[in-house]
Amino acid sequence: LLQACSSSGSAKKGPVIGVSLLNVSNEFIVMINQAMDAKAKELGVQIIVNDAQRSADRQVEQVESFIAQKVDAIILNPCEVEASSPAVDKAIAAGIPIVNVNSETRSTPTAFVGSRDEEAARIAMEYIAKRLNGKGNVTMMQGFMGQAGQIKRDTGAREVLAKNPGLKLIAQQTAEWDRAKAMSLMENWIQSYGARINAVFAQNDEMAMGALIALEQARLKDKVIVVGVDAIADALAAVRDGRLDATVFQDARGQGAAAVETAVRIVRKQPYEKSVMIPFQLVTRDNVAQFH
Amino acid sequence: MTKTRKWPPQLGLAIALAVLMAGLAAARPGFITLGNLVNLVRQISINGILAVGVTYVLLTGGVDLSLGSLVALTGVIAATFAHPGEYAVVVPVSAGIAAGALCGAINGVLVTRGRMAPFVVTLGMMTSARGLALLASGGRPVSNLSTAFTRIGSGDFAGIPAPTWILLAVAAASHVFLRNMRMGRHVYAVGGNESAARASGVHVNKVKMVCYTVCGAMAGLAGVVLASRITTGQPNAGIGYELDAIAAVVIGGTSLNGGTGGVSGTILGALLIGVINNGLDLLNVSSYYQQVIKGVIIVGAVWLDRSKKS
Amino acid sequence: MTKTRKWPPQLGLAIALAVLMAGLAAARPGFITLGNLVNLVRQISINGILAVGVTYVLLTGGVDLSLGSLVALTGVIAATFAHPGEYAVVVPVSAGIAAGALCGAINGVLVTRGRMAPFVVTLGMMTSARGLALLASGGRPVSNLSTAFTRIGSGDFAGIPAPTWILLAVAAASHVFLRNMRMGRHVYAVGGNESAARASGVHVNKVKMVCYTVCGAMAGLAGVVLASRITTGQPNAGIGYELDAIAAVVIGGTSLNGGTGGVSGTILGALLIGVINNGLDLLNVSSYYQQVIKGVIIVGAVWLDRSKKS
Amino acid sequence: MQPLLQLEGISKSFWGIRALDGAGLSVARGEVHALTGENGAGKSTLMKIVAGIERPDSGAIRFTGSAVAMIHQELLPFPEMTVAENICMGAEPANAFGWLDKSAMHHRAAELLARLGVDVMPGARMGDLSFAEQQSVEISKAVGQQADLLIMDEPTSALSDRECERLFRIIGDLKQRGVAVIYISHRMDEIFRLADTITVMRDGRPVATRPASGFDEATLISLMVGRDFDAALVRQPAQTGEVALEVRKLTREAKFRDITFTLRAGEILGLAGLIGAGRTEIASAIFGLDPAGSGDIVVRGRSVRIGSPADALAQGIAMVTEDRKRYGFVGDMGVRENVTLSSLRRYSAGGFVRRGAEDAAADEQIRALSIRAAGREQQVKYLSGGNQQKVVLARALLSDPAILILDEPTRGVDVGAKAEIYGLIARLARQGKAILLVSSEMNEILALSDRILVIREGAIAAEVTPSRTTPEEILSYAMPQ
Ligand SMILES: Nc1ncnc2c1ncn2[C@@H]1O[C@H](COP(=O)(O)OP(=O)(O)OP(=O)(O)O)[C@@H](O)[C@H]1O
Ligand SMILES: Nc1ncnc2c1ncn2[C@@H]1O[C@H](COP(=O)(O)OP(=O)(O)OP(=O)(O)O)[C@@H](O)[C@H]1O
Ligand SMILES: [Mg+2]
Ligand SMILES: [Mg+2]
């Protein structure tokens, strides 16, 4: 429970790294967190993990606290592109190295580990375009409006739509990343458009699962393609079972481990890469086995 | 002598709802189809169950902010017992409801024995229960649930979805309890004038305990139905549900000060919120405008209800 | 014959806070450093400003759920006028505050003239203002703000962060207003017994209008400070802030029924919440346990406060 | 001379219920105008219209003065504020910027309270005061408002003789200064003592207005009640039976101490004393509303622990409380629900309320106490004060107690109903009920009691027998030494 209490009593051995995560009730972030814990143990460093609970303001506060505690390095899993930037600026100004993981901020950190959200949406939408041969009606479930993830995945998806004039975005609406809301939204779309919908792109797997269940219950799943992003366990299982058409794998473990490794290298003054890009991969029934 | 005033309390609201539905039907013929009406009653079920539960607490003049977190916690607990081939379906269902009732009872004890403001008590429970839900699930959805369990959320009977039947059952039982039972009368007395209720021999603390416990149990039931409907126990489910539930009750004419209102209004309130959400989705109004309009309609409907009365 | 009871109302809470801080200092020497204390007071500033504002409304017996959305809306509006080289910094600041005050005044009109429950009115505003924030920003953060503007959130004076100075100023002004001015007394009167206030010649509607407007203006101020601190106007900012703010007020001893309490308690309440958040982060308590513990501490502190009193 | 206040054809209905029906009234400067009439006749409503709290449906109000102050029948306290703040509310001394002058507030309050001779600290919290003390504070507030018309709606309903005397003197002073007073009361002696003019109201309109000398008590009463009526009180001391209630050394710090007495079945024991003497506190302690610190309560020979009113009711003890708005009724509920609240078990089976039986019981009580309501479903908060009191009384009676504690049971009840209630109390005693009667009305307590305990500063100062004592003697025991 009080991880720090025990270790702070003993003499400080390894470096201390402060970590501020977007939201640990999000499965994807939980996986990053677990990978970080494992890597930290392996490298003999102590990490202090704070949960920003999706609030950029809290995130800035947490980084301020890390600075006041004089940690050796900070890993930031930004809530927002702009709004989390002051955290980066403050760390840099205080001379503490800061590594961004998973997503970017406007301010440039010491190093970046992750991938670009636009890319994930692009991969997903291109898969839809391919399956529909560039022609058909698409609906899109947005994340929480105004959040970085939603904006970037929206941008990526729209790039592909622009390139495929045959794809028509007939409806789009927010389901706030939430499975239950996505289910209701899908049910309502079924009422409005019925079988006219050819594909659903959900900006995360939770919403994709909700859409999937609603379509299955309406016995329309065989007519509609559903694609999500993140490759959470449920979604991978659904792809394996042939229920979900595809999801986009983002390597949470790889990102978490690489972030800690990079931070430790910086602290130990070893050479490190300023930008570690961990690519997305499309997961379909054909290759799902390798993601378990 | 003179006549008793017998204006049905929620007539204004019912009219507002009817106008709204007529408008939607005109704008979008798909709105009034059987399929969509079934949809609608299914979609209001979970909020409806929560709203019925919190009606008890609001009637006593209290409040319960922990509903959303309890939905998550009980959903996770139920899901843990609902993997295929482990237990009969009654086990996860009872576990979820019992967990909810227990948390509700803790709220009740702190409010009555601890003499603390319900707002603070249930705010604490809201925070703690969310943490417990995350702990119990390790922060990840509990999935792979038996079909017997998931049928609670997805099944139907006589064309009406199972969650709606559940809502109808708890609403009817609560209506009868509050209107026709002695204890129900006492609920109104406590909310109307706690000192006078006490001076009349009503066991105020017992009444409050019952209300908070029932409210918790309903949250447990809602948690079970939700987990079953989305086929997972989600530790981050239900965020903000307490506000939607309280909104349904208050829109339905139950006073936050307690003592007046009832379940029939609550159901109308839940329906109003459901119709707005469903209708705006059907009209494919952009998310931004959807929120602006939703706020305006809620206030407008309540305004209509108020002004009809005076 | 009867003696005046002169137990300082928030003594229990102050003791709870002191115990908590002593415990944290013992567990983690870093807690009590100057750097961290400065941190702490900076971190509570925004919630503190909101809490001071909503104290006015709660004292009248009302409630304001729209705070969080107003923070987003006013932040976006302020940011729109805060691009470098466009306007003097006073323009975005006043625009944000004025927008907040306007929304607060709308709440006030609907509560007074519209005779609707504050819960419903401000719930509607909460939803609509969020939509407006998204509309005004096109759903994307408004960034590229002038340094003059961002200095509001990041600057300091005499070692104390600027947001803290702002909080101190509004808290001191509000304390004096509520305690020593006629209108302030009338706020308590309206919350204590509205019909008696009316019968005593207090302009109840005017008092409520002032309270809702001030509360909105404070939300605007908080929105400006937040936008400046995170260097963007974020349309999805402030979610759930209303609950934190109301929690600070209620923990601080202001009754949700109105009529008792005040700004000094509110500041203690905001401090308590801030210390819990900051301390648990410093102790590196896992986020799940952190939530469980946070709920328990809030209830425990209030319990201590209550039991000291009776 | 033009009257200060002229009302013509004032009508007012609440949801179709006619409260005022073309009422007219004329009040001159410096006049004390008494207003009386049955409960629910419309007196309070008419006065609320004059004070601008209610708006009339039709009619004309001509007021040539500058300000009206009103003491409300239902008190309007700010319980969380101090006495001084209560007194100054709405007219606080403040400078041009609205900055309060707190010491001026304190002084004004202290001075006004002293004029009425009430021993209340300006810094005390209003909610900590007894009903009577709160009433005194509100009187002080109204008197301090420098109005040229002062409306007093049953101001003395909870005051004892000493405070009443002071109030009458104040009214005399105000009259000298040209202030007009409209004085609503059900107490004949007060009306005849104070009034220049008397108006009797019935069914929403005045039925007679004459100089006080034009009335005698009998005509006044018959005008009010609408029939001939003998209000004289005669009660034969009843046969007393077993000891029903015994109280031994009941004590609560700073409130009352060593209260010891016995109460037999069929007996009416009066508690007399000045306000603040602690009578209500003693009664509340026995009923469990506010349990005592130490001492024993013995019911029918068995020592019992009474921690709440529910315990008391289970022991067959019922109480009519003095503060009816706070403890008496649930305003949002109808007459039926209020009347049966304490005895709902009797009207239910298997936890379900039997509506038929409940309706019948409610109707029976409405008839027995002639509660003037628009039906058994009318919300009690909309009843007139006196009718609310009857509802509270009905609830206590319906629980069929062996021991009945009555704290100011006829507060605000009109003469007709009062006589009926006296008859009822006497009948209950004859049926063998033990009755503890707390009353500040000397006539009432003298006429009804078999024995009287005089309470002074929380202790029993004397026990007297009504037939062998005088009001003066009782007062002499009650006065603080
Ligand atoms: N706000 C209200 N709503 C509904 N009915 C009301 C309201 N106020 C008064 N009434 C009704 O108007 C009638 C007159 O009431 P009012 O209080 O004026 O009587 P009153 O003469 O003052 O009686 P009392 O001697 O008992 O005080 C009563 O029948 C009462 O029920
Ligand atoms: N609820 C209360 N809280 C605190 N003090 C109270 C309360 N009620 C009464 N008191 C105090 O207790 C003392 C005794 O009051 P009590 O009401 O028992 O007197 P009483 O003899 O019944 O006179 P009356 O009923 O005419 O006021 C008073 O000094 C009063 O201020
Ligand atoms: Mg009256
Ligand atoms: Mg008394």
Side-chain angles (χ1 to χ4, degrees):
Chain A
L1 161 59
L2 303 179
Q3 299 146 14
C5 283
S6 47
S7 52
S8 68
S10 57
K12 203 163 137 183
K13 25 185 184 114
V16 179
I17 301 173
V19 181
S20 174
L21 295 177
L22 164 68
N23 182 7
V24 293
S25 53
N26 174 316
E27 184 174 5
F28 180 78
I29 307 295
V30 172
M31 291 199 282
I32 291 188
N33 190 0
Q34 286 171 346
M36 285 179 167
D37 284 339
K39 195 71 184 176
K41 191 169 271 172
E42 181 193 321
L43 296 179
V45 297
Q46 188 202 333
I47 61 173
I48 303 171
V49 179
N50 286 179
D51 179 6
Q53 295 173 358
R54 288 203 184 276
S55 154
D57 183 36
R58 262 207 100 177
Q59 189 147 52
V60 176
E61 288 170 5
Q62 289 171 343
V63 169
E64 284 166 353
S65 292
F66 290 146
I67 296 169
Q69 291 175 74
K70 303 198 169 56
V71 297
D72 300 294
I74 294 170
I75 296 175
L76 184 74
N77 168 211
C79 297
E80 297 295 343
V81 180
E82 275 296 331
S84 297
S85 287
V88 175
D89 296 337
K90 282 177 191 215
I92 302 270
I96 298 177
I98 182 162
V99 178
N100 280 6
V101 64
N102 184 247
S103 62
E104 299 164 63
T105 53
R106 181 187 37 76
S107 302
T108 318
T110 321
F112 173 76
V113 175
S115 32
R116 292 210 166 77
D117 264 319
E118 293 91 337
E119 184 63 27
R122 224 176 279 138
I123 292 173
M125 206 50 116
E126 271 164 4
Y127 171 79
I128 289 174
K130 205 172 90 209
R131 284 280 305 269
L132 296 178
N133 293 322
K135 206 172 152 309
N137 293 328
V138 183
T139 64
M140 176 156 62
M141 288 193 177
Q142 306 266 9
F144 205 102
M145 300 309 283
Q147 277 176 359
Q150 177 265 326
I151 295 171
K152 289 196 256 180
R153 288 177 186 183
D154 187 60
T155 309
R158 277 171 202 279
E159 280 172 21
V160 179
L161 287 172
K163 276 189 280 180
N164 290 278
L167 289 184
K168 222 173 127 234
L169 185 66
I170 54 170
Q172 50 154 335
Q173 194 60 258
T174 179
E176 302 180 354
W177 307 121
D178 181 84
R179 194 181 291 202
K181 290 209 171 82
M183 252 182 103
S184 295
L185 178 58
M186 194 69 232
E187 287 165 352
N188 291 344
W189 276 346
I190 292 170
Q191 290 306 321
S192 278
Y193 306 104
R196 278 196 289 143
I197 303 172
N198 303 114
V200 178
F201 168 52
Q203 289 180 354
N204 77 349
D205 278 344
E206 283 295 341
M207 297 192 293
M209 291 303 293
L212 175 66
I213 298 166
L215 284 165
E216 284 175 345
Q217 287 176 3
R219 299 196 175 76
L220 281 171
K221 178 59 195 78
D222 50 341
K223 298 195 182 67
V224 184
I225 298 165
V226 181
V227 181
V229 174
D230 282 348
I232 63 171
D234 254 16
L236 287 175
V239 171
R240 188 192 56 215
D241 298 344
R243 298 166 59 213
L244 187 66
D245 295 273
T247 179
V248 179
F249 176 74
Q250 191 174 188
D251 186 359
R253 294 181 199 285
Q255 292 188 6
V260 173
E261 185 155 2
T262 305
V264 172
R265 282 178 165 275
I266 297 170
V267 172
R268 295 195 174 139
K269 309 243 179 314
Q270 293 164 338
Y272 64 94
E273 279 183 55
K274 268 198 83 71
S275 176
V276 183
M277 276 300 173
I278 306 221
F280 285 103
Q281 278 172 274
L282 183 72
V283 185
T284 59
R285 208 166 177 190
D286 304 332
N287 63 349
V288 67
Q290 71 196 73
F291 294 94
H292 266 291
Chain B
M1 206 191 297
T2 32
K3 287 192 319 261
T4 337
R5 157 172 148 260
K6 268 290 166 220
W7 177 276
Q10 282 87 30
L11 193 57
L13 194 60
I15 293 173
L17 190 60
V19 169
L20 190 62
M21 291 182 76
L24 282 169
R28 190 97 196 168
F31 177 75
I32 215 75
T33 60
L34 181 69
N36 192 48
L37 293 180
V38 166
N39 225 357
L40 183 64
V41 294
R42 181 170 41 217
Q43 287 173 8
I44 69 159
S45 305
I46 288 169
N47 186 35
I49 295 170
L50 289 171
V52 168
V54 82
T55 303
Y56 286 77
V57 168
L58 293 181
L59 280 177
T60 68
V63 74
D64 192 344
L65 300 176
S66 64
L67 292 178
S69 296
L70 291 186
V71 163
L73 177 60
T74 57
V76 164
I77 290 177
T80 321
F81 292 101
H83 298 305
E86 289 189 356
Y87 302 98
V89 70
V90 59
V91 175
V93 172
S94 339
I97 297 176
L102 178 68
C103 293
I106 294 174
N107 283 337
V109 168
L110 292 170
V111 167
T112 54
R113 302 269 150 229
R115 284 179 298 125
M116 281 184 274
F119 186 93
V120 174
V121 167
T122 59
L123 182 81
M125 180 59 82
M126 170 186 184
T127 314
S128 293
R130 177 71 60 191
L132 288 175
L134 287 163
L135 274 175
S137 63
R140 332 172 115 217
V142 181
S143 52
N144 181 25
L145 310 185
S146 71
T147 45
F149 183 76
T150 56
R151 216 152 33 204
I152 301 169
S154 60
D156 59 39
F157 181 74
I160 293 181
T164 309
W165 281 115
I166 296 176
L167 169 61
L168 286 176
V170 298
S174 297
H175 186 84
V176 169
F177 175 81
L178 289 169
R179 288 279 155 209
N180 297 321
M181 307 260 311
R182 196 167 70 228
M183 179 68 99
R185 183 75 61 78
H186 289 174
V187 171
Y188 282 90
V190 167
N193 184 347
E194 188 171 325
S195 317
R198 209 170 91 79
S200 302
V202 173
H203 293 98
V204 173
N205 283 356
K206 192 170 123 194
V207 170
K208 286 190 182 172
M209 279 302 299
V210 168
C211 289
Y212 281 92
T213 309
V214 167
C215 181
M218 297 268 199
L221 183 60
V224 168
V225 173
L226 180 67
S228 153
R229 182 165 145 81
I230 64 175
T231 70
T232 38
Q234 288 278 13
N236 58 351
I239 293 171
Y241 280 22
E242 57 282 346
L243 217 58
D244 271 350
I246 297 173
V249 183
V250 175
I251 291 170
T254 296
S255 157
L256 277 176
N257 300 321
T260 45
V263 171
S264 51
T266 298
I267 296 296
L268 275 179
L271 261 174
L272 183 81
I273 295 179
V275 168
I276 297 174
N277 286 335
N278 174 278
L280 292 177
D281 273 358
L282 253 53
L283 291 176
N284 198 18
V285 177
S286 109
S287 316
Y288 307 161
Y289 285 106
Q290 195 164 28
Q291 299 201 49
V292 178
I293 295 170
K294 187 174 164 184
V296 171
I297 295 181
I298 289 176
V299 172
V302 172
W303 182 80
L304 214 85
D305 194 32
R306 288 286 166 286
S307 53
K308 274 272 161 240
K309 263 179 201 160
S310 53
Chain C
M1 194 190 285
T2 39
K3 289 194 317 264
T4 339
R5 165 170 137 262
K6 269 291 166 221
W7 177 276
Q10 282 87 30
L11 193 56
L13 195 61
I15 294 172
L17 190 60
V19 168
L20 190 64
M21 291 184 76
L24 282 169
R28 191 92 196 170
F31 177 75
I32 215 76
T33 58
L34 182 68
N36 191 49
L37 292 180
V38 166
N39 246 341
L40 183 63
V41 294
R42 180 171 39 216
Q43 288 170 10
I44 68 160
S45 306
I46 287 170
N47 186 33
I49 295 170
L50 290 172
V52 167
V54 81
T55 302
Y56 286 79
V57 168
L58 293 181
L59 280 176
T60 67
V63 73
D64 193 343
L65 300 175
S66 64
L67 292 179
S69 297
L70 290 186
V71 165
L73 176 61
T74 58
V76 164
I77 290 175
T80 320
F81 292 101
H83 298 306
E86 288 190 357
Y87 302 97
V89 70
V90 58
V91 175
V93 172
S94 341
I97 297 176
L102 178 66
C103 294
I106 294 174
N107 283 336
V109 168
L110 291 170
V111 167
T112 54
R113 300 269 151 231
R115 283 178 299 127
M116 282 185 272
F119 186 94
V120 174
V121 167
T122 59
L123 181 82
M125 180 58 82
M126 170 186 183
T127 315
S128 293
R130 178 71 59 191
L132 287 175
L134 286 164
L135 275 176
S137 63
R140 312 181 145 235
V142 181
S143 54
N144 180 27
L145 310 187
S146 70
T147 45
F149 183 76
T150 57
R151 215 150 37 205
I152 301 168
S154 59
D156 60 38
F157 180 73
I160 293 181
T164 310
W165 281 115
I166 295 176
L167 169 60
L168 286 176
V170 298
S174 297
H175 184 83
V176 167
F177 174 80
L178 290 169
R179 288 276 155 207
N180 294 315
M181 305 281 284
R182 265 187 81 163
M183 177 69 101
R185 289 285 83 198
H186 291 178
V187 172
Y188 283 86
V190 168
N193 187 343
E194 189 170 324
S195 38
R198 194 167 282 126
S200 302
V202 172
H203 295 97
V204 173
N205 283 356
K206 193 171 122 193
V207 170
K208 287 191 180 173
M209 278 302 300
V210 167
C211 290
Y212 282 91
T213 308
V214 167
C215 182
M218 297 270 198
L221 184 58
V224 167
V225 173
L226 179 66
S228 150
R229 189 166 143 76
I230 61 178
T231 68
T232 35
Q234 194 78 29
N236 59 342
I239 292 170
Y241 280 23
E242 56 281 346
L243 218 57
D244 271 349
I246 297 173
V249 183
V250 175
I251 290 169
T254 296
S255 158
L256 277 176
N257 300 322
T260 45
V263 171
S264 51
T266 298
I267 295 297
L268 274 178
L271 260 174
L272 184 82
I273 294 178
V275 168
I276 297 174
N277 285 337
N278 176 280
L280 292 177
D281 274 357
L282 282 184
L283 288 177
N284 193 19
V285 177
S286 105
S287 173
Y288 306 161
Y289 284 106
Q290 191 163 348
Q291 298 198 45
V292 177
I293 295 170
K294 185 175 165 184
V296 172
I297 295 180
I298 289 176
V299 172
V302 172
W303 182 79
L304 214 87
D305 194 33
R306 287 289 167 284
S307 54
K308 274 272 161 239
K309 261 180 205 160
S310 54
Chain D
M1 197 178 89
Q2 200 188 8
L4 176 67
L5 175 71
Q6 179 84 45
L7 302 178
E8 268 162 34
I10 307 275
S11 292
K12 172 82 184 171
S13 302
F14 298 98
W15 294 296
I17 301 167
R18 198 135 251 225
L20 290 174
D21 186 11
L25 195 69
S26 167
V27 180
R29 280 175 200 279
E31 175 192 32
V32 177
H33 194 121
L35 200 54
T36 188
E38 280 181 301
N39 291 135
K43 305 179 292 294
S44 299
T45 307
L46 188 62
M47 289 304 109
K48 281 183 193 159
I49 286 171
V50 173
I53 290 167
E54 298 276 7
R55 222 182 293 265
D57 298 337
S58 63
I61 306 168
R62 262 187 300 280
F63 180 60
T64 57
S66 57
V68 181
M70 177 162 176
I71 301 164
H72 292 264
Q73 181 177 16
E74 290 312 323
L75 297 187
L76 290 172
F78 300 97
E80 300 292 345
M81 293 190 166
T82 65
V83 168
E85 287 170 328
N86 266 275
I87 288 179
C88 298
M89 180 54 63
E92 301 88 345
N95 72 10
F97 303 104
W99 190 275
L100 289 175
D101 184 345
K102 287 189 176 171
S103 73
M105 276 170 70
H106 198 277
H107 284 123
R108 171 139 66 145
E111 185 208 330
L112 285 166
L113 289 166
R115 261 176 85 186
L116 199 63
V118 207
D119 190 13
V120 175
M121 305 274 277
R125 186 177 158 271
M126 188 72 163
D128 290 337
L129 304 184
S130 73
F131 183 87
E133 288 167 325
Q134 290 188 8
Q135 193 170 47
S136 315
V137 171
E138 297 214 355
I139 292 173
S140 304
K141 173 179 172 182
V143 166
Q145 274 173 3
Q146 312 289 347
D148 27 27
L149 174 63
L150 186 54
I151 300 169
M152 301 188 170
D153 195 351
E154 304 191 34
T156 59
S157 64
L159 299 189
S160 64
D161 287 1
R162 184 186 58 160
E163 294 81 24
C164 289
E165 283 305 322
R166 302 262 194 152
L167 178 62
F168 299 158
R169 228 179 302 150
I170 292 175
I171 291 174
D173 290 347
L174 291 171
K175 193 173 150 175
Q176 291 296 301
R177 298 214 314 263
V179 176
V181 176
I182 300 180
Y183 191 93
I184 300 179
S185 179
H186 295 295
R187 295 185 181 179
M188 293 300 132
D189 50 345
E190 287 178 1
I191 291 173
F192 281 108
R193 177 158 165 200
L194 289 170
D196 302 311
T197 316
I198 300 176
T199 293
V200 180
M201 282 186 72
R202 182 148 29 103
D203 295 333
R205 71 165 81 93
V207 289
T209 298
R210 287 180 220 162
S213 53
F215 280 112
D216 60 34
E217 198 158 316
T219 41
L220 187 58
I221 290 172
S222 70
L223 269 171
M224 281 171 65
V225 185
R227 61 191 153 91
D228 279 335
F229 183 85
D230 181 13
L233 259 177
V234 268
R235 172 169 178 261
Q236 307 300 330
Q239 270 320 96
T240 59
E242 302 273 278
V243 173
L245 173 73
E246 192 178 348
V247 173
R248 292 196 207 116
K249 291 204 173 294
L250 209 61
T251 300
R252 176 158 60 244
E253 205 58 47
K255 297 290 183 194
F256 53 82
R257 56 191 180 280
D258 290 335
I259 302 296
T260 301
F261 63 83
T262 55
L263 175 61
R264 291 177 176 279
E267 184 182 35
I268 301 178
L269 176 63
L271 290 188
L274 303 179
I275 68 160
R279 296 162 301 164
T280 296
E281 292 280 329
I282 294 168
S284 309
I286 297 171
F287 187 57
L289 254 183
D290 206 353
S294 64
D296 295 317
I297 297 171
V298 182
V299 178
R300 290 181 295 279
R302 288 220 329 276
S303 182
V304 294
R305 214 197 68 82
I306 294 178
S308 70
D311 294 345
L313 283 158
Q315 294 295 334
I317 306 175
M319 175 165 173
V320 172
T321 50
E322 161 186 70
D323 192 344
R324 69 171 164 245
K325 198 168 172 190
R326 183 151 163 222
Y327 294 112
F329 59 86
V330 183
D332 282 326
M333 284 185 159
V335 175
R336 163 179 62 86
E337 290 161 302
N338 270 285
V339 162
T340 58
L341 192 55
S342 291
S343 39
L344 205 53
R345 190 176 292 275
R346 199 171 341 127
Y347 303 104
S348 44
F352 283 87
V353 177
R354 291 183 293 135
R355 270 299 293 276
E358 192 191 12
D359 287 352
D363 287 342
E364 162 68 25
Q365 291 299 318
I366 290 173
R367 200 168 46 247
L369 295 173
S370 40
I371 296 171
R372 193 185 157 104
R376 65 173 105 88
E377 302 303 326
Q378 192 179 11
Q379 287 175 301
V380 172
K381 67 177 171 193
Y382 296 131
L383 293 185
S384 80
N387 285 302
Q388 290 175 346
Q389 183 69 24
K390 292 182 194 171
V391 168
V392 179
L393 203 61
R395 192 190 71 216
L397 293 178
L398 207 59
S399 73
D400 194 25
I403 301 163
L404 186 59
I405 304 173
L406 301 172
D407 193 358
E408 314 285 0
T410 59
R411 188 159 70 76
V413 171
D414 67 41
V415 270
K418 207 178 228 176
E420 285 167 30
I421 291 172
Y422 291 160
L424 185 73
I425 292 173
R427 199 159 63 241
L428 290 169
R430 255 201 316 284
Q431 287 164 11
K433 300 215 184 301
I435 295 171
L436 184 65
L437 173 69
V438 180
S439 175
S440 300
E441 250 186 276
M442 200 62 89
N443 297 338
E444 181 168 298
I445 207 157
L446 281 170
L448 284 172
S449 312
D450 297 307
R451 283 185 298 139
I452 297 173
L453 299 178
V454 185
I455 311 291
R456 178 178 66 218
E457 295 179 323
I460 297 176
E463 179 178 332
V464 296
T465 311
S467 53
R468 289 192 294 272
T469 188
T470 59
E472 291 71 27
E473 189 194 356
I474 290 179
L475 207 57
S476 74
Y477 288 126
M479 281 297 191
Q481 309 278 285

